[in-house]
Amino acid sequence: MTITANSQLPNLFSQNLEDIANQTNGSSPALGAELVYMQDGSGRYLTFYWQRSEVLGLNPEQVVSSHEEEIFAPADKVAYLERLHRILTSLVPEKFQCWFRYQQELYELELVICPIIPPLGTAATTVVVMGRLLQATVNQQEHSTTPKAPTPIELALRSQQHQKLVTKITRNIRRTLDLDIIWQQTVDSLGKALKLERCIICPYQPSSSKVRVIAEYHQPERSSMLGLEIDVASEPAFAQALATLEPVVMEVSQYALCPNQKVLVVATCYQDQANGLIAVAVRDECYPLTNAELELAKEVADQLGTAIAHATLYKELEAARQKAEEASRLKSEFLANVSHEIRTPLNGMIGFLKLILEGMADDPEEQHQFLLEAHQSSIHLLNIINDILDIAKIEAGKMELDCAPVKLDELFCGVESFMRPQAEMKNLSFRMQIPTTCDEIVVQGNYQRLLQVMLNLVNNAIKFTHEGGITITSEIVQKKVKFQEQQFPGMVRVRVADTGIGVSLDKQDKLFQLFSQVDGSRTRQYGGTGLGLAISQKLIEAMGGEVHFYSLGEGLGSTVTFTVPLYHQPVIVSSSDGNIDCAC
């Protein structure tokens, strides 16, 4: 049934609603319209008539004239107005059942809402409503301090409200992957819709025995709990909710959300794994909670738990994506640097050999010098290729080391024979010291790999030092260690210190990253593949030691230390020096 604006119905409403009700009652016996009224789009009554008004003590004039205080209103006004707006938009009448509240009573009415069709080109703004009473229930407040059990009608209304709240929360948390927004929107929605004293959310990690309040809604008179850490073991409600993944209602003692109130605690979970806790102070008029309400609470927690898991997974994927992009960038930069490093010695070898082949050498001595330069370039090229092969083996997990006793003085002598000439060519001092002992200092490791590590470290020290010098020292750390199920009496710490250019504090974390160098421009100035320290670290760790880098900043020199297990405890000689220079 649709009523047009050209009819006389609005005037008839204002003249004699009782006659219209009687006419409607006769023309539609199935509906039996004993209630007739008109409303605008805001739900304001324009006219009102009910056959039961006099019996109920309801004044129709007050219903129409009272705009601020609603005398006769839907119990769920939001749903009613949504339906009203839908009818005004679609111009299609609807028949439904709805609860209305008047004083302390609830009335279930069967209603038909019909839009009044406006003139062509204008929007509908008014409806006519006809209905009949289905049932009524008294909701009188008791003067006892004991909370009254809710009536079935109130439970139905609460269930309807809660279900809409779950839908709203679910819709909101699916719009974002920001955990902070998800948590805060959830507590705000719960707190405002249910008029809670307090509602909190705590993320949960199985590895921790405590949870921290990360989001909170509370009334202004309540103090904030935001940031508070709660020991799960000391609160049975929290522990039980996490253990059972079921809603728990009990008093919370140590961290009372609200004094003298029951608290509903429910764990959020994903794939049967808890990842958070929701705690809500339950109002007296809502207690005890029904099974349906507990199920709704569990549904909210499940939706939130899924949202938390998805948001966490998204953050992890985003971090992994950024890490992969950074690794790809570093490898591209590394390949560009390595191609340059390989081409430089190769060009030198080709150039010197071509000079010899074309007879450009003036005498045998110059020819010998060309061959020597080509040989040195080939050694340099071989070292680069060995570094690349080593890092490939390390990444593939195929680096195998055969460890055996290694004499420390032989290792130091090997380093000195290689590196002292290079230091002297740059007019740098070069000093090596080992502790004074009665017997030889023997370490457990692989001689070739230890020599490779020391050559890498010393070569870097010489390359980045322009004045001053390099000092290589060692000391015995008397602390028992166990490595690969073998007990060792201590460690030997080797220290390579220089007075070179140093490294700024904010760039030192890049030193041990694969394919990473401190500065691109410095790389071009000094050369290198950026693999030396990374390879050295992996080799030393494979032998049971550690590598550390120290620098106070640019221009303040650098110190690199590494440790290696001590094969047997030597006898230390007490002297004024405590150290002797290495003599090979």
Side-chain angles (χ1 to χ4, degrees):
M1 178 178 64
T2 304
I3 301 173
T4 62
N6 293 329
S7 70
Q8 299 298 316
L9 189 57
N11 294 329
L12 291 174
F13 263 93
S14 60
Q15 293 171 8
N16 195 337
L17 291 177
E18 183 177 358
D19 292 342
I20 293 175
N22 292 334
Q23 293 171 13
T24 308
N25 200 13
S27 62
S28 181
L31 179 60
E34 61 189 52
L35 170 67
V36 185
Y37 60 84
M38 291 179 67
Q39 283 180 312
D40 60 15
S42 66
R44 182 171 63 92
Y45 290 98
L46 305 177
T47 57
F48 186 86
Y49 170 79
W50 195 8
Q51 289 178 353
R52 300 176 182 270
S53 296
E54 186 175 349
V55 177
L56 299 174
L58 177 64
N59 188 338
E61 293 182 359
Q62 289 184 350
V63 174
V64 175
S65 61
S66 177
H67 301 316
E68 296 182 358
E69 180 181 357
E70 296 179 330
I71 297 175
F72 186 76
D76 190 345
K77 187 175 180 180
V78 174
Y80 182 85
L81 290 177
E82 287 178 355
R83 186 185 296 270
L84 193 65
H85 294 157
R86 183 170 65 247
I87 294 171
L88 288 172
T89 303
S90 65
L91 301 180
V92 177
E94 292 189 18
K95 179 180 178 179
F96 64 101
Q97 295 177 0
C98 182
W99 285 93
F100 274 69
R101 188 184 301 275
Y102 170 60
Q103 293 183 353
Q104 302 301 322
E105 295 188 17
L106 291 171
Y107 301 91
E108 186 180 18
L109 303 173
E110 186 178 46
L111 302 176
V112 173
I113 301 183
C114 303
I116 298 178
I117 304 301
L120 188 63
T122 60
T125 59
T126 311
V127 297
V128 58
V129 184
M130 293 170 283
R132 65 188 179 94
L133 178 65
L134 295 179
Q135 62 173 318
T137 178
V138 178
N139 185 29
Q140 295 179 346
Q141 293 182 346
E142 298 183 4
H143 297 289
S144 171
T145 56
T146 304
K148 180 180 71 66
T151 65
I153 305 304
E154 290 176 320
L155 290 177
L157 291 173
R158 276 164 52 180
S159 178
Q160 186 180 24
Q161 180 189 19
H162 295 166
Q163 188 63 58
K164 289 182 178 180
L165 180 59
V166 172
T167 303
K168 178 182 177 182
I169 292 174
T170 302
R171 184 169 60 248
N172 286 339
I173 63 180
R174 287 179 178 176
R175 291 176 177 173
T176 179
L177 288 171
D178 190 318
L179 274 176
D180 293 332
I181 295 177
I182 290 173
W183 285 322
Q184 196 58 49
Q185 280 186 348
T186 302
V187 293
D188 288 343
S189 298
L190 289 171
K192 292 175 182 177
L194 303 180
K195 299 179 180 178
L196 300 174
E197 292 289 326
R198 190 191 303 274
C199 176
I200 63 172
I201 289 181
C202 307
Y204 171 71
Q205 294 289 342
S207 58
S208 176
S209 62
K210 294 183 178 181
V211 295
R212 187 169 64 90
V213 179
I214 197 70
E216 176 189 33
Y217 172 89
H218 66 91
Q219 294 297 331
E221 63 272 15
R222 301 293 183 187
S223 59
S224 176
M225 295 177 62
L226 199 63
L228 178 67
E229 284 194 344
I230 300 175
D231 189 353
V232 174
S234 65
E235 289 296 346
F238 287 71
Q240 184 176 337
L242 290 171
T244 63
L245 299 182
E246 295 292 336
V248 177
V249 181
M250 64 172 64
E251 290 186 0
V252 179
S253 57
Q254 185 177 355
Y255 304 97
L257 297 175
C258 289
N260 304 320
Q261 276 189 302
K262 297 285 186 180
V263 173
L264 168 65
V265 182
V266 57
T268 65
C269 63
Y270 179 70
Q271 296 182 345
D272 296 329
Q273 296 293 324
N275 56 16
L277 286 164
I278 306 175
V280 175
V282 181
R283 292 181 296 156
D284 291 341
E285 59 267 28
C286 294
Y287 186 80
L289 298 174
T290 65
N291 290 333
E293 289 173 329
L294 293 177
E295 285 298 321
L296 284 172
K298 191 172 187 304
E299 184 178 347
V300 172
D302 289 344
Q303 293 288 346
L304 182 59
T306 301
I308 292 173
H310 289 174
T312 302
L313 179 60
Y314 172 78
K315 291 178 68 175
E316 292 175 352
L317 289 175
E318 181 64 18
R321 182 188 66 81
Q322 293 179 359
K323 187 176 180 180
E325 288 180 352
E326 177 65 12
S328 177
R329 185 191 66 80
L330 289 175
K331 283 196 174 184
S332 297
E333 184 178 303
F334 165 76
L335 290 174
N337 289 336
V338 165
S339 63
H340 173 75
E341 290 296 320
I342 292 177
R343 187 170 60 249
T344 299
L346 191 58
N347 286 338
M349 293 166 55
I350 294 173
F352 286 118
L353 292 175
K354 186 177 181 181
L355 290 174
I356 295 173
L357 290 174
E358 293 180 351
M360 300 298 292
D362 294 336
D363 51 51
E365 183 178 351
E366 188 175 31
Q367 181 176 340
H368 176 75
Q369 184 65 33
F370 288 166
L371 289 173
L372 184 61
E373 294 288 348
H375 179 262
Q376 290 179 347
S377 295
S378 67
I379 295 298
H380 180 55
L381 180 60
L382 178 62
N383 290 334
I384 294 173
I385 295 174
N386 284 336
D387 282 349
I388 297 173
L389 293 176
D390 283 345
I391 210 65
K393 289 180 181 179
I394 290 172
E395 284 199 310
K398 296 181 178 180
M399 176 65 72
E400 296 180 0
L401 297 179
D402 294 328
C403 295
V406 177
K407 295 180 180 180
L408 187 63
D409 58 349
E410 290 184 3
L411 182 65
F412 271 46
C413 287
V415 172
E416 184 172 28
S417 63
F418 278 107
M419 306 310 300
R420 182 178 288 277
Q422 294 187 28
E424 291 176 349
M425 287 178 62
K426 294 185 67 174
N427 295 321
L428 300 175
S429 65
F430 189 87
R431 187 180 183 190
M432 303 184 72
Q433 293 178 338
I434 60 174
T436 305
T437 57
C438 292
D439 49 355
E440 292 181 314
I441 300 176
V442 181
V443 298
Q444 179 75 0
N446 182 284
Y447 176 83
Q448 292 298 329
R449 293 302 184 178
L450 285 174
L451 181 61
Q452 178 183 349
V453 169
M454 291 196 67
L455 291 178
N456 269 332
L457 300 183
V458 177
N459 182 65
N460 280 343
I462 295 173
K463 180 167 61 174
F464 295 112
T465 302
H466 301 298
E467 58 182 1
I470 291 89
T471 301
I472 305 167
T473 60
S474 62
E475 60 178 333
I476 297 174
V477 181
Q478 296 181 357
K479 180 181 179 181
K480 291 184 178 181
V481 293
K482 189 175 182 180
F483 178 67
Q484 293 182 346
E485 298 182 356
Q486 186 175 352
Q487 192 79 23
F488 295 98
M491 303 287 286
V492 171
R493 180 182 291 114
V494 178
R495 180 181 289 105
V496 179
D498 63 63
T499 59
I501 61 176
V503 179
S504 62
L505 298 177
D506 60 330
K507 295 180 179 179
Q508 292 181 18
D509 58 337
K510 296 182 179 180
L511 289 171
F512 294 99
Q513 295 179 8
L514 289 176
F515 316 117
S516 178
Q517 293 176 302
V518 170
D519 185 76
S521 61
R522 182 173 296 168
T523 301
R524 289 190 296 271
Q525 178 182 354
Y526 292 99
T529 61
L531 295 177
L533 281 178
I535 293 174
S536 299
Q537 183 185 47
K538 298 296 183 182
L539 292 176
I540 291 298
E541 288 177 350
M543 289 183 279
E546 296 179 350
V547 179
H548 296 283
F549 179 90
Y550 307 94
S551 179
L552 294 178
E554 292 188 2
L556 299 176
S558 303
T559 299
V560 184
T561 68
F562 70 87
T563 56
V564 64
L566 187 63
Y567 183 71
H568 63 74
Q569 184 70 45
V571 178
I572 306 295
V573 174
S574 297
S575 66
S576 57
D577 280 337
N579 292 295
I580 60 172
D581 290 342
C582 178
C584 299

